[in-house]
Coordinates of all heavy atoms in Angstrom, one line a residue:
M668 N 141.5 103.5 142.0 CA 140.4 104.1 142.8 C 139.2 103.1 142.9 O 138.9 102.5 142.0 CB 139.9 105.4 142.1 CG 139.2 106.4 143.0 SD 138.5 107.7 142.1 CE 139.8 108.9 142.2
S669 N 138.7 103.0 144.1 CA 137.6 102.1 144.4 C 136.3 102.6 143.7 O 136.2 103.8 143.3 CB 137.4 101.9 145.9 OG 136.8 103.1 146.4
V670 N 135.4 101.7 143.5 CA 134.1 102.0 142.9 C 133.4 103.1 143.8 O 132.9 104.1 143.2 CB 133.2 100.8 142.8 CG1 131.8 101.2 142.4 CG2 133.8 99.8 141.9
A671 N 133.5 103.0 145.1 CA 132.9 104.0 146.0 C 133.5 105.4 145.8 O 132.9 106.4 145.7 CB 133.0 103.5 147.4
A672 N 134.9 105.4 145.7 CA 135.6 106.6 145.6 C 135.2 107.3 144.2 O 135.0 108.5 144.1 CB 137.1 106.4 145.6
E673 N 135.1 106.5 143.2 CA 134.6 107.0 141.9 C 133.2 107.6 142.0 O 132.9 108.6 141.3 CB 134.7 105.9 140.8 CG 136.1 105.7 140.3 CD 136.2 104.5 139.3 OE1 135.1 104.1 138.8 OE2 137.3 104.0 139.2
R674 N 132.4 106.9 142.7 CA 131.0 107.3 142.9 C 131.0 108.7 143.6 O 130.2 109.6 143.2 CB 130.2 106.2 143.7 CG 128.8 106.5 143.9 CD 127.9 105.4 143.5 NE 126.5 105.8 143.4 CZ 125.7 105.7 144.5 NH1 126.1 105.2 145.6 NH2 124.5 106.2 144.4
I675 N 131.8 108.8 144.6 CA 131.9 110.1 145.3 C 132.3 111.2 144.4 O 131.7 112.3 144.4 CB 132.8 110.0 146.5 CG1 132.2 109.1 147.6 CG2 133.1 111.3 147.1 CD1 133.1 108.6 148.7
E676 N 133.3 110.9 143.5 CA 133.8 111.9 142.6 C 132.7 112.3 141.6 O 132.5 113.5 141.3 CB 135.0 111.3 141.7 CG 136.3 111.4 142.4 CD 136.8 112.8 142.7 OE1 136.6 113.7 141.9 OE2 137.2 113.0 143.9
R677 N 132.0 111.3 141.2 CA 130.9 111.6 140.2 C 129.8 112.5 140.9 O 129.2 113.4 140.3 CB 130.3 110.3 139.8 CG 129.1 110.4 138.8 CD 129.6 110.8 137.4 NE 128.5 111.0 136.5 CZ 128.3 112.1 135.8 NH1 129.2 113.0 135.8 NH2 127.2 112.2 135.0
L678 N 129.4 112.1 142.1 CA 128.4 112.9 142.9 C 128.9 114.3 143.1 O 128.1 115.2 143.1 CB 128.0 112.2 144.2 CG 127.3 110.9 144.0 CD1 127.2 110.1 145.3 CD2 125.8 111.1 143.5
H679 N 130.2 114.5 143.4 CA 130.7 115.8 143.6 C 130.5 116.6 142.3 O 130.1 117.8 142.4 CB 132.2 115.6 143.9 CG 132.9 116.9 144.2 ND1 134.2 117.0 144.4 CD2 132.4 118.2 144.3 CE1 134.5 118.3 144.6 NE2 133.4 119.0 144.6
E680 N 130.8 116.0 141.2 CA 130.6 116.7 139.9 C 129.2 117.1 139.6 O 128.9 118.2 139.2 CB 131.1 115.8 138.7 CG 132.6 115.9 138.5 CD 133.1 114.8 137.6 OE1 132.3 114.3 136.7 OE2 134.3 114.4 137.8
L681 N 128.3 116.1 140.0 CA 126.9 116.4 139.8 C 126.4 117.5 140.7 O 125.6 118.4 140.3 CB 126.0 115.1 140.1 CG 126.2 114.0 139.0 CD1 125.6 112.7 139.5 CD2 125.5 114.4 137.7
A682 N 126.9 117.6 141.9 CA 126.5 118.6 142.9 C 127.0 120.0 142.4 O 126.3 121.0 142.4 CB 127.2 118.3 144.3
R683 N 128.2 120.0 141.9 CA 128.8 121.2 141.3 C 128.0 121.7 140.1 O 127.7 122.9 140.0 CB 130.3 121.0 140.9 CG 130.9 122.3 140.4 CD 132.4 122.1 140.2 NE 132.8 120.8 139.7 CZ 133.9 120.2 140.0 NH1 134.8 120.7 140.8 NH2 134.1 119.0 139.4
A684 N 127.6 120.8 139.3 CA 126.8 121.1 138.1 C 125.5 121.7 138.5 O 125.0 122.7 137.9 CB 126.7 119.9 137.2
A685 N 124.8 121.0 139.4 CA 123.5 121.5 139.9 C 123.6 122.9 140.5 O 122.8 123.8 140.3 CB 122.9 120.5 140.9
A686 N 124.7 123.1 141.3 CA 124.9 124.4 141.9 C 125.1 125.5 140.9 O 124.6 126.6 141.0 CB 126.0 124.4 142.9
T687 N 125.9 125.1 139.9 CA 126.1 126.1 138.8 C 124.9 126.5 138.1 O 124.7 127.6 137.7 CB 127.1 125.5 137.8 OG1 128.3 125.2 138.5 CG2 127.4 126.4 136.6
E688 N 123.9 125.5 138.0 CA 122.7 125.8 137.3 C 121.7 126.5 138.3 O 120.6 126.8 137.9 CB 122.0 124.5 136.8 CG 122.7 123.9 135.6 CD 122.3 122.5 135.4 OE1 121.3 122.1 135.9 OE2 123.1 121.8 134.7
G689 N 122.1 126.7 139.5 CA 121.3 127.4 140.5 C 120.3 126.5 141.2 O 119.4 127.0 141.9
D690 N 120.4 125.2 141.0 CA 119.5 124.3 141.7 C 120.1 123.8 143.0 O 120.7 122.7 143.0 CB 119.2 123.1 140.7 CG 118.0 122.3 141.2 OD1 117.7 122.3 142.4 OD2 117.5 121.5 140.4
Q691 N 120.0 124.6 144.0 CA 120.6 124.2 145.3 C 120.1 123.0 145.9 O 120.8 122.3 146.6 CB 120.5 125.4 146.3 CG 121.6 126.5 146.1 CD 123.0 125.9 146.2 OE1 123.3 124.9 146.9 NE2 124.0 126.6 145.5
E692 N 118.8 122.7 145.8 CA 118.2 121.6 146.4 C 118.8 120.3 145.8 O 119.1 119.3 146.5 CB 116.7 121.6 146.3 CG 116.0 122.4 147.4 CD 116.7 122.2 148.8 OE1 116.7 121.0 149.2 OE2 117.1 123.2 149.4
R693 N 118.9 120.3 144.5 CA 119.5 119.1 143.8 C 121.0 119.0 144.2 O 121.5 117.9 144.4 CB 119.4 119.2 142.3 CG 119.5 117.9 141.6 CD 118.7 117.9 140.3 NE 119.1 119.0 139.4 CZ 120.0 119.0 138.5 NH1 120.7 118.0 138.3 NH2 120.3 120.1 137.8
A694 N 121.7 120.1 144.3 CA 123.1 120.1 144.7 C 123.2 119.4 146.1 O 124.1 118.6 146.3 CB 123.7 121.5 144.7
R695 N 122.3 119.8 147.0 CA 122.3 119.3 148.4 C 122.1 117.8 148.4 O 122.7 117.0 149.1 CB 121.2 119.9 149.2 CG 121.6 121.1 149.9 CD 120.6 121.4 151.0 NE 121.0 122.6 151.7 CZ 120.6 123.9 151.3 NH1 119.8 124.0 150.3 NH2 121.1 124.9 151.8
Y696 N 121.1 117.4 147.5 CA 120.8 115.9 147.4 C 122.1 115.2 147.1 O 122.4 114.1 147.7 CB 119.7 115.8 146.3 CG 119.5 114.3 145.9 CD1 118.8 113.5 146.7 CD2 120.0 113.8 144.7 CE1 118.6 112.2 146.4 CE2 119.8 112.5 144.3 CZ 119.1 111.7 145.2 OH 118.9 110.4 144.8
Y697 N 122.9 115.6 146.1 CA 124.1 114.9 145.7 C 125.2 115.0 146.8 O 125.9 114.1 147.0 CB 124.6 115.5 144.4 CG 123.8 115.3 143.2 CD1 123.4 116.3 142.3 CD2 123.4 114.0 142.9 CE1 122.6 116.0 141.2 CE2 122.6 113.7 141.8 CZ 122.2 114.7 141.0 OH 121.4 114.5 139.9
V698 N 125.2 116.1 147.5 CA 126.2 116.3 148.5 C 125.9 115.3 149.6 O 126.8 114.6 150.1 CB 126.2 117.7 149.1 CG1 127.0 117.8 150.5 CG2 126.8 118.7 148.1
R699 N 124.6 115.1 150.0 CA 124.2 114.2 151.1 C 124.5 112.8 150.6 O 124.9 111.9 151.4 CB 122.8 114.4 151.4 CG 122.6 115.6 152.2 CD 121.1 115.9 152.5 NE 121.0 117.2 153.3 CZ 120.0 118.0 153.2 NH1 119.1 117.8 152.3 NH2 120.0 119.1 153.9
L700 N 124.2 112.5 149.4 CA 124.4 111.1 148.8 C 125.9 110.8 148.9 O 126.3 109.7 149.3 CB 123.9 111.1 147.4 CG 123.3 109.8 146.9 CD1 122.2 109.3 147.8 CD2 122.7 110.0 145.5
A701 N 126.8 111.7 148.5 CA 128.2 111.5 148.6 C 128.7 111.3 150.0 O 129.5 110.4 150.2 CB 128.9 112.7 148.0
R702 N 128.2 112.0 150.9 CA 128.5 111.8 152.3 C 128.1 110.4 152.8 O 128.9 109.7 153.5 CB 127.8 112.8 153.2 CG 128.3 114.3 153.1 CD 127.9 115.0 154.4 NE 127.8 116.5 154.2 CZ 128.8 117.3 154.1 NH1 130.0 116.8 154.3 NH2 128.6 118.6 153.9
R703 N 126.9 110.0 152.4 CA 126.4 108.7 152.8 C 127.3 107.6 152.2 O 127.6 106.6 152.9 CB 125.0 108.5 152.3 CG 124.1 107.7 153.3 CD 122.7 107.8 152.9 NE 122.2 109.1 152.8 CZ 121.2 109.5 152.0 NH1 120.7 108.7 151.1 NH2 120.8 110.8 152.0
V704 N 127.7 107.7 150.9 CA 128.6 106.7 150.3 C 129.9 106.6 151.0 O 130.4 105.6 151.3 CB 128.8 107.0 148.8 CG1 129.8 106.1 148.2 CG2 127.5 106.9 148.0
A705 N 130.4 107.8 151.4 CA 131.7 107.8 152.1 C 131.6 107.1 153.4 O 132.5 106.3 153.8 CB 132.2 109.3 152.3
E706 N 130.5 107.4 154.2 CA 130.3 106.9 155.5 C 130.2 105.3 155.4 O 130.8 104.6 156.1 CB 129.0 107.4 156.1 CG 129.2 108.2 157.3 CD 127.9 108.9 157.7 OE1 126.9 108.2 157.9 OE2 127.9 110.1 157.7
R707 N 129.4 104.9 154.5 CA 129.1 103.5 154.4 C 130.3 102.7 154.0 O 130.5 101.5 154.3 CB 128.0 103.3 153.3 CG 127.0 102.1 153.6 CD 126.0 102.0 152.5 NE 125.1 103.0 152.4 CZ 124.6 103.6 151.3 NH1 125.1 103.2 150.1 NH2 123.7 104.5 151.3
N708 N 131.2 103.4 153.2 CA 132.4 102.7 152.8 C 133.7 103.1 153.6 O 134.8 102.7 153.3 CB 132.7 103.0 151.3 CG 131.6 102.3 150.4 OD1 131.6 101.2 150.1 ND2 130.5 103.1 150.1
R709 N 133.4 103.8 154.7 CA 134.5 104.3 155.5 C 135.6 105.0 154.8 O 136.8 104.7 155.0 CB 135.1 103.1 156.3 CG 134.1 102.5 157.3 CD 134.8 101.5 158.2 NE 133.9 101.0 159.3 CZ 133.0 100.1 159.1 NH1 132.8 99.5 157.9 NH2 132.2 99.7 160.1
L710 N 135.2 105.8 153.9 CA 136.1 106.6 153.1 C 136.1 108.0 153.5 O 135.1 108.6 154.0 CB 135.7 106.6 151.6 CG 135.9 105.3 150.8 CD1 135.3 105.4 149.4 CD2 137.4 105.0 150.7
G711 N 137.3 108.7 153.4 CA 137.3 110.1 153.6 C 136.8 110.8 152.4 O 136.8 110.3 151.3
L712 N 136.3 112.0 152.6 CA 135.8 112.8 151.4 C 137.0 113.6 150.9 O 137.9 114.1 151.6 CB 134.7 113.7 151.8 CG 133.4 113.0 152.1 CD1 132.5 113.8 153.0 CD2 132.7 112.6 150.8
P713 N 137.1 113.7 149.5 CA 138.2 114.5 149.0 C 138.2 115.9 149.5 O 137.2 116.5 149.9 CB 137.9 114.5 147.5 CG 136.9 113.4 147.2 CD 136.1 113.2 148.5
R714 N 139.4 116.5 149.6 CA 139.6 117.8 150.2 C 138.7 118.8 149.4 O 138.1 119.7 150.1 CB 141.0 118.2 150.1 CG 141.2 119.5 150.9 CD 142.7 119.7 151.2 NE 143.4 120.0 150.0 CZ 144.7 120.4 150.0 NH1 145.4 120.4 151.1 NH2 145.3 120.6 148.9
T715 N 138.7 118.8 148.1 CA 137.9 119.8 147.4 C 136.4 119.6 147.7 O 135.7 120.6 147.8 CB 138.1 119.6 145.8 OG1 137.8 118.3 145.5 CG2 139.5 120.1 145.4
F716 N 136.0 118.4 147.9 CA 134.6 118.2 148.3 C 134.3 118.9 149.7 O 133.4 119.6 149.9 CB 134.3 116.7 148.4 CG 132.8 116.4 148.8 CD1 131.9 116.2 147.8 CD2 132.4 116.4 150.1 CE1 130.6 115.9 148.1 CE2 131.1 116.2 150.5 CZ 130.2 115.9 149.5
R717 N 135.2 118.7 150.6 CA 135.1 119.2 152.0 C 135.1 120.8 151.9 O 134.3 121.4 152.6 CB 136.1 118.7 152.9 CG 136.1 117.2 153.1 CD 136.8 116.8 154.4 NE 138.2 117.3 154.4 CZ 139.3 116.7 153.9 NH1 139.2 115.5 153.4 NH2 140.4 117.2 154.0
R718 N 135.9 121.3 151.1 CA 136.1 122.8 151.0 C 134.8 123.4 150.4 O 134.5 124.6 150.7 CB 137.3 123.2 150.1 CG 138.6 122.8 150.6 CD 138.9 123.6 151.9 NE 139.8 123.0 152.7 CZ 141.1 123.1 152.6 NH1 141.6 123.9 151.7 NH2 141.9 122.5 153.4
F719 N 134.2 122.7 149.5 CA 133.1 123.3 148.8 C 131.7 122.9 149.2 O 130.7 123.1 148.5 CB 133.3 123.1 147.2 CG 134.3 124.0 146.7 CD1 135.6 123.5 146.5 CD2 134.1 125.3 146.4 CE1 136.6 124.3 146.0 CE2 135.1 126.2 145.9 CZ 136.4 125.6 145.7
T720 N 131.6 122.3 150.4 CA 130.3 121.9 150.9 C 130.2 122.4 152.3 O 131.2 122.5 153.1 CB 130.2 120.3 150.9 OG1 131.3 119.7 151.6 CG2 130.1 119.8 149.5
C721 N 129.0 122.7 152.7 CA 128.7 123.2 154.1 C 128.4 122.0 155.0 O 127.6 121.2 154.7 CB 127.6 124.2 154.1 SG 127.1 124.7 155.7
D722 N 129.2 122.0 156.1 CA 128.9 120.9 157.1 C 127.6 121.0 157.8 O 127.0 120.0 158.2 CB 130.0 120.9 158.2 CG 131.3 120.3 157.7 OD1 131.3 119.7 156.6 OD2 132.4 120.6 158.3
A723 N 127.0 122.2 157.8 CA 125.8 122.3 158.6 C 124.6 122.1 157.7 O 123.6 121.4 158.1 CB 125.7 123.7 159.2
C724 N 124.6 122.6 156.5 CA 123.3 122.5 155.7 C 123.5 121.7 154.4 O 122.6 121.6 153.6 CB 122.7 123.9 155.4 SG 123.7 124.8 154.2
D725 N 124.7 121.2 154.2 CA 125.0 120.4 153.0 C 125.0 121.2 151.6 O 124.9 120.5 150.6 CB 124.1 119.2 152.9 CG 124.4 118.2 154.0 OD1 125.5 118.1 154.5 OD2 123.4 117.6 154.5
A726 N 125.0 122.5 151.7 CA 125.0 123.2 150.5 C 126.3 123.1 149.7 O 127.3 122.9 150.3 CB 124.8 124.7 150.8
Y727 N 126.2 123.1 148.4 CA 127.4 123.2 147.6 C 127.8 124.6 147.5 O 127.0 125.4 147.0 CB 127.2 122.5 146.2 CG 128.6 122.4 145.5 CD1 129.3 121.2 145.7 CD2 129.1 123.4 144.7 CE1 130.5 121.1 145.1 CE2 130.3 123.2 144.1 CZ 131.0 122.1 144.3 OH 132.3 121.9 143.8
L728 N 129.0 125.0 148.0 CA 129.3 126.4 148.2 C 129.8 127.0 146.9 O 130.7 126.5 146.3 CB 130.3 126.6 149.3 CG 129.8 126.1 150.7 CD1 130.9 126.2 151.7 CD2 128.6 126.9 151.1
R729 N 129.2 128.2 146.6 CA 129.7 128.9 145.4 C 130.0 130.4 145.9 O 129.1 131.2 146.0 CB 128.7 128.9 144.3 CG 128.4 127.5 143.8 CD 127.6 127.5 142.6 NE 128.3 128.2 141.5 CZ 127.7 129.1 140.7 NH1 126.5 129.4 140.8 NH2 128.4 129.6 139.7
P730 N 131.3 130.7 146.2 CA 131.6 132.0 146.7 C 131.0 133.1 145.8 O 131.1 133.0 144.5 CB 133.1 132.0 146.6 CG 133.5 130.6 146.8 CD 132.4 129.8 146.1
G731 N 130.4 134.1 146.4 CA 129.8 135.1 145.6 C 128.3 134.9 145.4 O 127.5 135.8 145.0
R732 N 127.9 133.6 145.5 CA 126.5 133.2 145.3 C 125.8 132.8 146.6 O 124.9 133.5 147.0 CB 126.4 132.1 144.2 CG 127.0 132.4 142.9 CD 126.1 133.4 142.1 NE 124.8 132.9 141.7 CZ 124.6 132.2 140.6 NH1 125.6 132.0 139.8 NH2 123.5 131.8 140.3
N733 N 126.3 131.8 147.2 CA 125.7 131.4 148.4 C 126.7 131.3 149.6 O 126.5 130.7 150.6 CB 125.0 130.0 148.3 CG 125.9 128.9 147.9 OD1 127.1 129.1 147.7 ND2 125.4 127.7 147.9
A734 N 127.9 131.8 149.4 CA 128.9 131.8 150.4 C 129.8 133.1 150.2 O 130.0 133.6 149.1 CB 129.8 130.6 150.3
R735 N 130.4 133.5 151.4 CA 131.3 134.6 151.3 C 132.7 134.1 151.7 O 132.8 133.3 152.6 CB 130.9 135.7 152.3 CG 129.8 136.6 151.6 CD 129.1 137.5 152.7 NE 128.4 136.6 153.6 CZ 128.4 136.8 155.0 NH1 129.0 137.8 155.5 NH2 127.7 136.0 155.7
V736 N 133.7 134.6 151.1 CA 135.1 134.2 151.4 C 135.9 135.4 151.8 O 135.8 136.5 151.2 CB 135.7 133.5 150.2 CG1 137.2 133.1 150.5 CG2 134.9 132.3 149.7
R737 N 136.6 135.3 152.9 CA 137.5 136.4 153.3 C 138.8 135.8 153.9 O 138.8 134.6 154.3 CB 136.8 137.4 154.2 CG 136.5 137.0 155.5 CD 135.4 137.8 156.2 NE 134.8 137.0 157.2 CZ 135.2 136.9 158.4 NH1 136.3 137.6 158.8 NH2 134.6 136.2 159.3
L738 N 139.8 136.6 153.9 CA 141.1 136.2 154.4 C 141.2 136.8 155.8 O 140.9 138.0 156.0 CB 142.2 136.7 153.5 CG 142.2 136.0 152.1 CD1 143.3 136.6 151.3 CD2 142.4 134.5 152.2
Q739 N 141.7 136.0 156.7 CA 141.8 136.5 158.1 C 143.0 135.7 158.8 O 143.0 134.5 158.9 CB 140.5 136.2 158.9 CG 140.5 136.9 160.2 CD 139.2 136.5 160.9 OE1 138.9 135.3 161.2 NE2 138.4 137.5 161.3
D740 N 144.0 136.5 159.1 CA 145.1 135.9 159.9 C 145.7 134.7 159.2 O 146.0 133.6 159.8 CB 144.7 135.5 161.3 CG 144.1 136.6 162.1 OD1 144.5 137.8 161.8 OD2 143.2 136.4 162.9
G741 N 145.9 134.8 157.9 CA 146.5 133.6 157.1 C 145.6 132.5 156.9 O 146.0 131.4 156.5
H742 N 144.3 132.7 157.2 CA 143.3 131.7 157.0 C 142.3 132.2 156.0 O 142.0 133.3 155.8 CB 142.5 131.3 158.3 CG 143.3 130.5 159.2 ND1 144.3 131.0 160.0 CD2 143.3 129.2 159.5 CE1 144.9 130.1 160.7 NE2 144.2 128.9 160.5
V743 N 141.7 131.2 155.3 CA 140.5 131.5 154.4 C 139.3 131.1 155.3 O 139.2 130.1 155.8 CB 140.5 130.6 153.2 CG1 139.3 130.9 152.3 CG2 141.8 130.8 152.4
V744 N 138.4 132.1 155.4 CA 137.2 131.9 156.2 C 136.0 131.9 155.2 O 135.8 132.9 154.5 CB 136.9 133.0 157.2 CG1 135.7 132.7 158.0 CG2 138.2 133.1 158.2
I745 N 135.3 130.8 155.1 CA 134.2 130.7 154.2 C 132.9 130.7 155.0 O 132.7 129.9 156.0 CB 134.2 129.4 153.4 CG1 135.5 129.4 152.5 CG2 133.0 129.3 152.5 CD1 135.7 128.2 151.7
T746 N 132.0 131.6 154.7 CA 130.7 131.7 155.5 C 129.6 131.3 154.5 O 129.4 132.0 153.5 CB 130.5 133.1 156.0 OG1 131.6 133.5 156.8 CG2 129.2 133.2 156.9
C747 N 128.9 130.3 154.9 CA 127.7 129.8 154.1 C 126.6 130.8 154.4 O 126.5 131.4 155.4 CB 127.4 128.4 154.5 SG 125.9 127.8 153.7
D748 N 125.6 130.8 153.5 CA 124.4 131.6 153.7 C 123.7 131.2 155.0 O 122.9 132.0 155.5 CB 123.5 131.5 152.5 CG 123.8 132.5 151.4 OD1 124.7 133.3 151.6 OD2 123.2 132.5 150.3
C749 N 123.8 130.0 155.4 CA 123.1 129.5 156.6 C 123.8 130.0 157.9 O 123.3 129.8 159.0 CB 123.0 128.0 156.6 SG 124.6 127.1 157.1
G750 N 125.0 130.6 157.7 CA 125.7 131.1 158.9 C 126.9 130.3 159.3 O 127.7 130.8 160.1
E751 N 127.0 129.1 158.9 CA 128.1 128.2 159.2 C 129.4 128.8 158.6 O 129.5 129.3 157.5 CB 127.8 126.8 158.7 CG 128.9 125.8 158.9 CD 129.0 125.3 160.3 OE1 128.1 125.7 161.1 OE2 129.8 124.5 160.6
Q752 N 130.5 128.7 159.4 CA 131.8 129.2 159.0 C 132.8 128.1 159.0 O 132.7 127.2 159.9 CB 132.3 130.3 159.9 CG 131.6 131.6 159.7 CD 132.4 132.8 160.3 OE1 133.2 132.5 161.2 NE2 132.2 134.0 159.8
A753 N 133.6 128.1 158.0 CA 134.7 127.1 158.0 C 136.0 127.9 157.8 O 136.0 128.8 157.0 CB 134.5 126.1 156.9
R754 N 137.1 127.4 158.4 CA 138.4 128.1 158.3 C 139.4 127.1 157.8 O 139.5 126.0 158.3 CB 138.8 128.6 159.7 CG 138.1 129.8 160.2 CD 138.4 130.0 161.7 NE 139.8 130.3 161.9 CZ 140.3 131.5 161.9 NH1 139.6 132.5 161.7 NH2 141.6 131.7 162.0
Y755 N 140.2 127.6 156.9 CA 141.3 126.7 156.4 C 142.6 127.5 156.3 O 142.5 128.7 156.1 CB 141.0 126.3 155.0 CG 139.7 125.6 154.8 CD1 138.7 126.2 154.1 CD2 139.5 124.3 155.4 CE1 137.4 125.6 154.0 CE2 138.3 123.7 155.2 CZ 137.3 124.3 154.5 OH 136.0 123.7 154.4
P756 N 143.7 126.9 156.6 CA 145.0 127.6 156.4 C 145.0 128.1 154.9 O 144.6 127.4 154.0 CB 146.0 126.5 156.6 CG 145.3 125.5 157.4 CD 143.9 125.5 157.0
Y757 N 145.6 129.3 154.7 CA 145.6 129.9 153.4 C 146.3 129.1 152.4 O 145.8 128.9 151.3 CB 146.2 131.3 153.5 CG 146.3 132.0 152.2 CD1 145.1 132.3 151.6 CD2 147.5 132.4 151.6 CE1 145.1 133.0 150.4 CE2 147.5 133.0 150.4 CZ 146.3 133.4 149.8 OH 146.4 134.0 148.6
D758 N 147.4 128.5 152.7 CA 148.2 127.8 151.7 C 148.1 126.3 151.7 O 148.8 125.6 151.1 CB 149.7 128.2 151.7 CG 150.2 128.0 153.1 OD1 149.5 127.4 154.0 OD2 151.4 128.3 153.4
D759 N 147.1 125.8 152.4 CA 146.9 124.4 152.5 C 146.2 123.8 151.3 O 145.3 124.4 150.8 CB 146.0 124.1 153.8 CG 145.9 122.6 153.9 OD1 146.8 121.8 153.5 OD2 144.8 122.2 154.5
Ligands
ZN2117 ZN1 125.3 126.1 155.2

């Protein structure tokens, strides 16, 4: 794994930890930093990172806390508190 990929993993963990502690602003900071590292190094973001972050407001999503999850037509629909929705195939 490249240094940049490791850095992204680490930032993902920090974002998750901050969100767990209820510090959404710090979580966003780490999410944005991870996106920037990925961009600068032309790396894709890990799937779990993409699933648990909002594309619109960079929140780290915690279903039941700042996001709602429902199933619809074989898809998982995640709605962030900001209103942004993301859809994923159920078994992907
Ligand atoms: Zn959002």
